[in-house]
Coordinates of all heavy atoms in Angstrom, one line a residue:
D31 N 29.7 -33.0 68.8 CA 30.6 -33.4 69.8 C 30.0 -33.4 71.2 O 29.0 -32.7 71.5 CB 31.8 -32.4 69.8 CG 32.7 -32.6 68.6 OD1 32.5 -33.7 67.9 OD2 33.5 -31.7 68.3
P112 N 5.7 -49.1 69.7 CA 7.0 -49.1 69.1 C 7.4 -47.7 68.6 O 6.5 -46.9 68.2 CB 6.8 -50.0 67.9 CG 5.7 -50.9 68.2 CD 4.8 -50.0 69.0
A118 N 16.7 -37.6 67.2 CA 16.4 -37.0 68.5 C 16.6 -35.5 68.5 O 17.5 -34.9 69.1 CB 17.3 -37.7 69.6
D174 N -10.5 -26.6 62.9 CA -11.4 -27.8 62.8 C -10.8 -29.1 63.3 O -11.3 -30.2 63.2 CB -11.8 -28.0 61.3 CG -10.6 -28.3 60.4 OD1 -9.4 -28.4 60.9 OD2 -10.8 -28.3 59.1
A225 N -3.1 -14.5 68.5 CA -4.3 -14.3 69.3 C -5.5 -13.8 68.4 O -6.6 -14.0 68.7 CB -4.0 -13.3 70.4
A305 N 16.5 -15.7 65.1 CA 17.2 -16.4 64.0 C 18.6 -16.7 64.4 O 19.2 -16.0 65.1 CB 17.2 -15.4 62.8

Side-chain angles (χ1 to χ4, degrees):
D31 289 345
D174 60 7

